[in-house]
Amino acid sequence: MGMGRFVFALVAVALLVIAAGCENPDTNVKTEKTLTVNDVTVHYSGDVSMDQAKALINFVYNYFDITGKTDIYLEKASGRYKVGIVTPYNSPDEISGQVKFAITLAASRLSQEVFSGEPVTLQYLSPDKDVLISADGKYRYVENSKIYVWYSGVSQEEAQKVLVYLVDFAGQGPWDVILEKSGSTYHVRAMSSFTTADEANSAKDAYTELVSGLEERLNGNVVLHVLDPNGNELTTFGP
């Protein structure tokens, strides 16, 4: 069944366009070392290694659209990594709802791919280094065919079952789905390109089939939450 008309790639939303950072940044973060690769400079302090700074730069180049010199501030304190990325935005109001919602997934991805699953706080900073938005990573993820299942409070095995079914169901992404559990009920939050409940309900048959298939794979009740591109819930399907 073709899902292209109503699925939406949250990962793509997370690609924040970054403008040139200040050459002499003024920040209250104590920086002990710097590492520059091409246009990206990481200022790092605390219990952070050069290998981690390099991995962070690679991550930024893979998942962000670098358009000029960019400064990143990285520190580790009390077992948590804090990553601050300088952006061209001067106010949170300038940041789209899609990017605001996606920052939690970006922080989660940073934790898994760069910091071996350790706690991460990701901050988007103004050119003056003010914190515009901030989020802690809270999910792990599994991926296949550009379909991402972000999960918390469930096992990797359960997430993998959902992923296998979604690949069979949709073929390929981009598509982002969040899997969590409350009591005995699984909650599946699926991104879509719909912006109204009426639009989401127009795909009722496909979503109902999706719920049924997921309940069979997970052997439990499933509530499917359809989200708009900003992460707002439009409608639900299931018990």
Side-chain angles (χ1 to χ4, degrees):
M1 176 178 298
M3 298 283 289
R5 72 187 186 90
F6 64 90
V7 299
F8 180 84
L10 185 60
V11 171
V13 177
L15 307 185
L16 179 68
V17 177
I18 300 181
C22 298
E23 293 185 4
N24 298 301
D26 179 19
T27 176
N28 57 10
V29 175
K30 180 182 178 183
T31 58
E32 299 171 353
K33 300 165 241 182
T34 62
L35 177 65
T36 300
V37 177
N38 297 324
D39 288 331
V40 176
T41 297
V42 174
H43 310 260
Y44 59 107
S45 62
D47 188 17
V48 176
S49 69
M50 180 178 288
D51 286 343
Q52 290 173 321
K54 288 179 180 178
L56 178 58
I57 290 176
N58 289 334
F59 179 91
V60 169
Y61 271 110
N62 285 331
Y63 299 108
F64 292 78
D65 184 11
I66 303 300
T67 61
K69 291 183 179 179
T70 300
D71 288 289
I72 304 173
Y73 295 90
L74 168 62
E75 65 173 342
K76 183 181 182 182
S78 302
R80 174 174 291 276
Y81 291 91
K82 184 169 71 175
V83 179
I85 303 179
V86 178
T87 77
Y89 304 121
N90 292 295
S91 165
D93 295 337
E94 299 175 12
I95 302 176
S96 72
Q98 297 174 12
V99 171
K100 288 178 178 177
F101 180 72
I103 188 174
T104 298
L105 300 193
S108 301
R109 191 163 193 162
L110 261 174
S111 171
Q112 183 164 328
E113 295 189 11
V114 177
F115 300 113
S116 303
E118 294 192 54
V120 170
T121 297
L122 176 60
Q123 298 176 334
Y124 293 159
L125 310 177
S126 73
D128 292 329
K129 315 304 177 295
D130 295 323
V131 177
L132 301 175
I133 56 175
S134 177
D136 295 336
K138 60 178 292 187
Y139 301 108
R140 304 285 288 173
Y141 77 85
V142 290
E143 179 272 337
N144 188 10
S145 302
K146 296 184 179 180
I147 296 176
Y148 290 78
V149 176
W150 305 86
Y151 63 96
S152 176
V154 301
S155 68
Q156 182 175 341
E157 180 183 4
E158 290 168 307
Q160 191 64 40
K161 287 180 180 180
V162 170
L163 177 62
V164 169
Y165 177 72
L166 293 180
V167 172
D168 289 342
F169 183 79
Q172 64 179 11
W175 194 12
D176 287 89
V177 172
I178 298 171
L179 173 65
E180 296 174 297
K181 193 175 185 181
S182 177
S184 61
T185 300
Y186 294 92
H187 291 269
V188 177
R189 292 173 171 83
M191 297 303 299
S192 80
S193 60
F194 295 137
T195 57
T196 69
D198 286 343
E199 290 176 348
N201 284 318
S202 70
K204 178 180 179 179
D205 290 346
Y207 282 129
T208 300
E209 179 185 347
L210 181 57
V211 169
S212 178
L214 289 173
E215 287 185 332
E216 181 179 342
R217 299 315 188 277
L218 293 170
N219 192 30
N221 292 330
V222 170
V223 175
L224 178 66
H225 307 255
V226 182
L227 309 182
D228 71 8
N230 294 333
N232 300 311
E233 183 176 298
L234 296 174
T235 189
T236 62
F237 297 92

